[in-house]
Amino acid sequence: MTYSFLQHYWCFIVSLLGALLVFLMFVQGANSIIFSLGRTEAERRLLINSTGRKWEFTFTTLVTFGGAFFASFPLFYSTSFGGAYWLWMIILFTFVLQAVSYEFQNKVERDGNSRLARLYKMFGPRTFQTFLVINGLLGPLLIGGAVATFFEGSNFVVEKSNMIDGASLTPVISHWANGSHGLDALLNPWVLVLGLAVMFLARTLGILYVMNNVNDENIRCRGSVRLVGEAGIFVVLFVAYLVHLLLKDGFAYDDSGTVFMAPHKYLHNMVDMWYLTLLMLIGVVLVLYGIVKTIVSKTYIKGIWPAGIGTVLTVLPLLLMSAWNHTAYYPSTAHLPSSLTIENSSSSYFTLNTMFWVSLLVPFVLAYIVYAWRKIDSKEIDHDEIVTDESY
């Protein structure tokens, strides 16, 4: 295995985790509309019980995504997570709100005078439901915006010479070029377009998941109506950003590592890596199939599966096109030579090679997740269940 192969391999693994994360954010999407799908407290309890069984999959994937980036491309980790920390701190804070909400959601007063009971009496379930809505809106929006910086660029400077000049005992390799520390990305309208597209995709997948997982006719009818608007907005935003991506100049680098602006770089990537483009088209068709069939058929409730698989098959090649084929996957708008590529930001050959053998265990982990998912969903959630189940 060559060094280049390992760099491309770990770029694929990280991109796959990112694609799975986008799919699993159906939890956030469903939570963002619990007040419109659930008109009564019992209906909202059904929705929260449904997503409450899956939220740990999403959170674990987010942590694994960050860990894989740290191990395989540490310079990106230190630059983005260390420089754009306000953006990432807000994302993590919303996920903390989610965890707190599930912990205290619908806890009864049978705990007496415990701290848990006092918190319940003080805030009530609606407060924690609002926390879930905040996470459901901001989480996908900001993560989608962070992904957009792979194409639009970020405002940072890398100075590797600080490691060897001996001027400081704690040298800083990279730093943000302004005081916003990542929030400036949200001033780019195209970053917001992709962020909003991911948010509405999460809401669309959330509706499809709820219709499949919750056995309540009222919720399914409302979901079918809401699906038209949510999916329509997502399609418009995604197509708009895709057209923008094909027409814009991209960040390329040559064999010497010099980064430069290349006209229609991402369009050329789609042509050069036609197999990724084909995979993306298959993914888009599956997403549209899951959405359209759910809308036109009154009995079809399994749209989450073709749409979910299609989401992974669409996001995966999109992320790979930001890094493969001599493309800078984390470009710098403040100092173009500081742009990060899979070659100048990866770990050593020894580290990547060692992790490669560990990664062979991933299929077994995925098999366990599938098994656990099937056991959790062995019975549809209905009103009879919430009478005896007080977990959320």
Side-chain angles (χ1 to χ4, degrees), residues 248-268:
K248 77 184 296 288
D249 295 342
F251 301 84
Y253 66 95
D254 56 26
D255 292 335
S256 65
T258 302
V259 180
F260 60 94
M261 299 302 297
H264 308 297
K265 172 59 177 172
Y266 303 107
L267 174 60
H268 292 313

PDB file of all heavy atoms in Angstrom, residues 248-268:
ATOM      1  N   LYS A 248     -18.604  27.464 -10.684  1.00  0.00           N
ATOM      2  CA  LYS A 248     -17.599  28.260  -9.977  1.00  0.00           C
ATOM      3  C   LYS A 248     -16.184  27.742 -10.213  1.00  0.00           C
ATOM      4  O   LYS A 248     -15.982  26.576 -10.591  1.00  0.00           O
ATOM      5  CB  LYS A 248     -17.895  28.276  -8.472  1.00  0.00           C
ATOM      6  CG  LYS A 248     -17.506  26.979  -7.744  1.00  0.00           C
ATOM      7  CD  LYS A 248     -17.913  27.021  -6.283  1.00  0.00           C
ATOM      8  CE  LYS A 248     -17.186  28.098  -5.517  1.00  0.00           C
ATOM      9  NZ  LYS A 248     -15.746  27.783  -5.293  1.00  0.00           N
ATOM     10  N   ASP A 249     -15.217  28.621  -9.976  1.00  0.00           N
ATOM     11  CA  ASP A 249     -13.813  28.202  -9.999  1.00  0.00           C
ATOM     12  C   ASP A 249     -13.512  27.402  -8.736  1.00  0.00           C
ATOM     13  O   ASP A 249     -14.080  27.662  -7.667  1.00  0.00           O
ATOM     14  CB  ASP A 249     -12.895  29.421 -10.058  1.00  0.00           C
ATOM     15  CG  ASP A 249     -13.053  30.191 -11.364  1.00  0.00           C
ATOM     16  OD1 ASP A 249     -13.595  29.599 -12.323  1.00  0.00           O
ATOM     17  OD2 ASP A 249     -12.646  31.363 -11.415  1.00  0.00           O
ATOM     18  N   GLY A 250     -12.620  26.432  -8.861  1.00  0.00           N
ATOM     19  CA  GLY A 250     -12.292  25.578  -7.740  1.00  0.00           C
ATOM     20  C   GLY A 250     -10.841  25.704  -7.327  1.00  0.00           C
ATOM     21  O   GLY A 250     -10.028  26.366  -7.984  1.00  0.00           O
ATOM     22  N   PHE A 251     -10.513  25.051  -6.218  1.00  0.00           N
ATOM     23  CA  PHE A 251      -9.170  25.113  -5.641  1.00  0.00           C
ATOM     24  C   PHE A 251      -8.414  23.837  -5.996  1.00  0.00           C
ATOM     25  O   PHE A 251      -8.715  22.760  -5.473  1.00  0.00           O
ATOM     26  CB  PHE A 251      -9.259  25.279  -4.128  1.00  0.00           C
ATOM     27  CG  PHE A 251     -10.007  26.518  -3.702  1.00  0.00           C
ATOM     28  CD1 PHE A 251     -11.397  26.526  -3.619  1.00  0.00           C
ATOM     29  CD2 PHE A 251      -9.319  27.695  -3.400  1.00  0.00           C
ATOM     30  CE1 PHE A 251     -12.083  27.662  -3.224  1.00  0.00           C
ATOM     31  CE2 PHE A 251      -9.998  28.834  -3.015  1.00  0.00           C
ATOM     32  CZ  PHE A 251     -11.387  28.816  -2.928  1.00  0.00           C
ATOM     33  N   ALA A 252      -7.443  23.964  -6.878  1.00  0.00           N
ATOM     34  CA  ALA A 252      -6.670  22.812  -7.344  1.00  0.00           C
ATOM     35  C   ALA A 252      -5.218  22.959  -6.910  1.00  0.00           C
ATOM     36  O   ALA A 252      -4.776  24.024  -6.467  1.00  0.00           O
ATOM     37  CB  ALA A 252      -6.754  22.713  -8.868  1.00  0.00           C
ATOM     38  N   TYR A 253      -4.468  21.859  -7.017  1.00  0.00           N
ATOM     39  CA  TYR A 253      -3.033  21.919  -6.743  1.00  0.00           C
ATOM     40  C   TYR A 253      -2.304  20.994  -7.706  1.00  0.00           C
ATOM     41  O   TYR A 253      -2.854  20.002  -8.188  1.00  0.00           O
ATOM     42  CB  TYR A 253      -2.726  21.560  -5.291  1.00  0.00           C
ATOM     43  CG  TYR A 253      -3.018  20.133  -4.891  1.00  0.00           C
ATOM     44  CD1 TYR A 253      -2.025  19.149  -4.920  1.00  0.00           C
ATOM     45  CD2 TYR A 253      -4.291  19.755  -4.468  1.00  0.00           C
ATOM     46  CE1 TYR A 253      -2.291  17.843  -4.541  1.00  0.00           C
ATOM     47  CE2 TYR A 253      -4.562  18.459  -4.082  1.00  0.00           C
ATOM     48  CZ  TYR A 253      -3.556  17.508  -4.118  1.00  0.00           C
ATOM     49  OH  TYR A 253      -3.830  16.205  -3.749  1.00  0.00           O
ATOM     50  N   ASP A 254      -1.045  21.347  -8.012  1.00  0.00           N
ATOM     51  CA  ASP A 254      -0.260  20.570  -8.964  1.00  0.00           C
ATOM     52  C   ASP A 254       0.628  19.561  -8.230  1.00  0.00           C
ATOM     53  O   ASP A 254       0.541  19.405  -7.005  1.00  0.00           O
ATOM     54  CB  ASP A 254       0.564  21.485  -9.867  1.00  0.00           C
ATOM     55  CG  ASP A 254       1.467  22.419  -9.070  1.00  0.00           C
ATOM     56  OD1 ASP A 254       1.838  22.060  -7.935  1.00  0.00           O
ATOM     57  OD2 ASP A 254       1.815  23.505  -9.579  1.00  0.00           O
ATOM     58  N   ASP A 255       1.488  18.895  -8.973  1.00  0.00           N
ATOM     59  CA  ASP A 255       2.335  17.844  -8.396  1.00  0.00           C
ATOM     60  C   ASP A 255       3.313  18.381  -7.357  1.00  0.00           C
ATOM     61  O   ASP A 255       3.763  17.645  -6.475  1.00  0.00           O
ATOM     62  CB  ASP A 255       3.108  17.120  -9.503  1.00  0.00           C
ATOM     63  CG  ASP A 255       2.193  16.305 -10.406  1.00  0.00           C
ATOM     64  OD1 ASP A 255       1.103  15.921  -9.926  1.00  0.00           O
ATOM     65  OD2 ASP A 255       2.552  16.073 -11.574  1.00  0.00           O
ATOM     66  N   SER A 256       3.642  19.653  -7.453  1.00  0.00           N
ATOM     67  CA  SER A 256       4.555  20.244  -6.471  1.00  0.00           C
ATOM     68  C   SER A 256       3.840  20.702  -5.206  1.00  0.00           C
ATOM     69  O   SER A 256       4.496  21.143  -4.248  1.00  0.00           O
ATOM     70  CB  SER A 256       5.285  21.439  -7.103  1.00  0.00           C
ATOM     71  OG  SER A 256       4.367  22.488  -7.408  1.00  0.00           O
ATOM     72  N   GLY A 257       2.510  20.618  -5.210  1.00  0.00           N
ATOM     73  CA  GLY A 257       1.741  21.034  -4.048  1.00  0.00           C
ATOM     74  C   GLY A 257       1.277  22.463  -4.084  1.00  0.00           C
ATOM     75  O   GLY A 257       0.643  22.941  -3.138  1.00  0.00           O
ATOM     76  N   THR A 258       1.565  23.180  -5.153  1.00  0.00           N
ATOM     77  CA  THR A 258       1.152  24.578  -5.275  1.00  0.00           C
ATOM     78  C   THR A 258      -0.351  24.667  -5.546  1.00  0.00           C
ATOM     79  O   THR A 258      -0.865  24.055  -6.490  1.00  0.00           O
ATOM     80  CB  THR A 258       1.912  25.278  -6.412  1.00  0.00           C
ATOM     81  OG1 THR A 258       3.324  25.193  -6.152  1.00  0.00           O
ATOM     82  CG2 THR A 258       1.501  26.734  -6.523  1.00  0.00           C
ATOM     83  N   VAL A 259      -1.053  25.437  -4.731  1.00  0.00           N
ATOM     84  CA  VAL A 259      -2.504  25.584  -4.859  1.00  0.00           C
ATOM     85  C   VAL A 259      -2.813  26.770  -5.772  1.00  0.00           C
ATOM     86  O   VAL A 259      -2.190  27.830  -5.659  1.00  0.00           O
ATOM     87  CB  VAL A 259      -3.162  25.787  -3.483  1.00  0.00           C
ATOM     88  CG1 VAL A 259      -4.678  25.932  -3.623  1.00  0.00           C
ATOM     89  CG2 VAL A 259      -2.826  24.628  -2.548  1.00  0.00           C
ATOM     90  N   PHE A 260      -3.774  26.592  -6.652  1.00  0.00           N
ATOM     91  CA  PHE A 260      -4.165  27.659  -7.573  1.00  0.00           C
ATOM     92  C   PHE A 260      -5.648  27.528  -7.896  1.00  0.00           C
ATOM     93  O   PHE A 260      -6.262  26.481  -7.663  1.00  0.00           O
ATOM     94  CB  PHE A 260      -3.336  27.588  -8.868  1.00  0.00           C
ATOM     95  CG  PHE A 260      -3.483  26.296  -9.622  1.00  0.00           C
ATOM     96  CD1 PHE A 260      -4.409  26.170 -10.653  1.00  0.00           C
ATOM     97  CD2 PHE A 260      -2.695  25.185  -9.305  1.00  0.00           C
ATOM     98  CE1 PHE A 260      -4.549  24.982 -11.355  1.00  0.00           C
ATOM     99  CE2 PHE A 260      -2.832  23.992  -9.998  1.00  0.00           C
ATOM    100  CZ  PHE A 260      -3.758  23.887 -11.020  1.00  0.00           C
ATOM    101  N   MET A 261      -6.212  28.607  -8.408  1.00  0.00           N
ATOM    102  CA  MET A 261      -7.621  28.609  -8.798  1.00  0.00           C
ATOM    103  C   MET A 261      -7.757  28.032 -10.204  1.00  0.00           C
ATOM    104  O   MET A 261      -7.058  28.472 -11.130  1.00  0.00           O
ATOM    105  CB  MET A 261      -8.191  30.030  -8.764  1.00  0.00           C
ATOM    106  CG  MET A 261      -8.147  30.688  -7.394  1.00  0.00           C
ATOM    107  SD  MET A 261      -9.036  29.752  -6.135  1.00  0.00           S
ATOM    108  CE  MET A 261     -10.713  29.809  -6.786  1.00  0.00           C
ATOM    109  N   ALA A 262      -8.653  27.049 -10.344  1.00  0.00           N
ATOM    110  CA  ALA A 262      -8.867  26.390 -11.632  1.00  0.00           C
ATOM    111  C   ALA A 262     -10.307  26.611 -12.080  1.00  0.00           C
ATOM    112  O   ALA A 262     -11.241  26.337 -11.328  1.00  0.00           O
ATOM    113  CB  ALA A 262      -8.581  24.891 -11.516  1.00  0.00           C
ATOM    114  N   PRO A 263     -10.509  27.128 -13.292  1.00  0.00           N
ATOM    115  CA  PRO A 263     -11.876  27.345 -13.792  1.00  0.00           C
ATOM    116  C   PRO A 263     -12.670  26.034 -13.856  1.00  0.00           C
ATOM    117  O   PRO A 263     -12.162  25.023 -14.326  1.00  0.00           O
ATOM    118  CB  PRO A 263     -11.659  27.944 -15.187  1.00  0.00           C
ATOM    119  CG  PRO A 263     -10.262  28.477 -15.160  1.00  0.00           C
ATOM    120  CD  PRO A 263      -9.492  27.572 -14.255  1.00  0.00           C
ATOM    121  N   HIS A 264     -13.897  26.071 -13.352  1.00  0.00           N
ATOM    122  CA  HIS A 264     -14.818  24.932 -13.416  1.00  0.00           C
ATOM    123  C   HIS A 264     -14.172  23.645 -12.871  1.00  0.00           C
ATOM    124  O   HIS A 264     -14.362  22.562 -13.417  1.00  0.00           O
ATOM    125  CB  HIS A 264     -15.311  24.703 -14.847  1.00  0.00           C
ATOM    126  CG  HIS A 264     -15.881  25.923 -15.493  1.00  0.00           C
ATOM    127  ND1 HIS A 264     -16.998  26.562 -15.016  1.00  0.00           N
ATOM    128  CD2 HIS A 264     -15.477  26.632 -16.586  1.00  0.00           C
ATOM    129  CE1 HIS A 264     -17.273  27.601 -15.781  1.00  0.00           C
ATOM    130  NE2 HIS A 264     -16.361  27.676 -16.737  1.00  0.00           N
ATOM    131  N   LYS A 265     -13.438  23.770 -11.780  1.00  0.00           N
ATOM    132  CA  LYS A 265     -12.708  22.632 -11.227  1.00  0.00           C
ATOM    133  C   LYS A 265     -13.645  21.490 -10.844  1.00  0.00           C
ATOM    134  O   LYS A 265     -13.369  20.317 -11.127  1.00  0.00           O
ATOM    135  CB  LYS A 265     -11.905  23.092 -10.001  1.00  0.00           C
ATOM    136  CG  LYS A 265     -11.244  21.967  -9.208  1.00  0.00           C
ATOM    137  CD  LYS A 265     -10.269  21.161 -10.059  1.00  0.00           C
ATOM    138  CE  LYS A 265      -9.582  20.091  -9.234  1.00  0.00           C
ATOM    139  NZ  LYS A 265      -8.776  19.176 -10.068  1.00  0.00           N
ATOM    140  N   TYR A 266     -14.753  21.794 -10.208  1.00  0.00           N
ATOM    141  CA  TYR A 266     -15.646  20.735  -9.728  1.00  0.00           C
ATOM    142  C   TYR A 266     -16.429  20.100 -10.875  1.00  0.00           C
ATOM    143  O   TYR A 266     -16.788  18.927 -10.807  1.00  0.00           O
ATOM    144  CB  TYR A 266     -16.575  21.293  -8.644  1.00  0.00           C
ATOM    145  CG  TYR A 266     -15.781  21.889  -7.500  1.00  0.00           C
ATOM    146  CD1 TYR A 266     -15.710  23.274  -7.318  1.00  0.00           C
ATOM    147  CD2 TYR A 266     -15.038  21.074  -6.649  1.00  0.00           C
ATOM    148  CE1 TYR A 266     -14.961  23.822  -6.291  1.00  0.00           C
ATOM    149  CE2 TYR A 266     -14.276  21.617  -5.622  1.00  0.00           C
ATOM    150  CZ  TYR A 266     -14.236  22.993  -5.452  1.00  0.00           C
ATOM    151  OH  TYR A 266     -13.474  23.522  -4.453  1.00  0.00           O
ATOM    152  N   LEU A 267     -16.666  20.863 -11.932  1.00  0.00           N
ATOM    153  CA  LEU A 267     -17.251  20.280 -13.132  1.00  0.00           C
ATOM    154  C   LEU A 267     -16.270  19.292 -13.754  1.00  0.00           C
ATOM    155  O   LEU A 267     -16.654  18.181 -14.156  1.00  0.00           O
ATOM    156  CB  LEU A 267     -17.608  21.383 -14.133  1.00  0.00           C
ATOM    157  CG  LEU A 267     -18.105  20.922 -15.505  1.00  0.00           C
ATOM    158  CD1 LEU A 267     -19.373  20.079 -15.362  1.00  0.00           C
ATOM    159  CD2 LEU A 267     -18.346  22.111 -16.428  1.00  0.00           C
ATOM    160  N   HIS A 268     -14.992  19.671 -13.804  1.00  0.00           N
ATOM    161  CA  HIS A 268     -13.978  18.761 -14.330  1.00  0.00           C
ATOM    162  C   HIS A 268     -13.840  17.516 -13.447  1.00  0.00           C
ATOM    163  O   HIS A 268     -13.620  16.413 -13.962  1.00  0.00           O
ATOM    164  CB  HIS A 268     -12.626  19.483 -14.443  1.00  0.00           C
ATOM    165  CG  HIS A 268     -12.600  20.554 -15.483  1.00  0.00           C
ATOM    166  ND1 HIS A 268     -13.091  20.361 -16.760  1.00  0.00           N
ATOM    167  CD2 HIS A 268     -12.146  21.837 -15.445  1.00  0.00           C
ATOM    168  CE1 HIS A 268     -12.936  21.472 -17.474  1.00  0.00           C
ATOM    169  NE2 HIS A 268     -12.374  22.379 -16.691  1.00  0.00           N
TER     170      HIS A 268
END
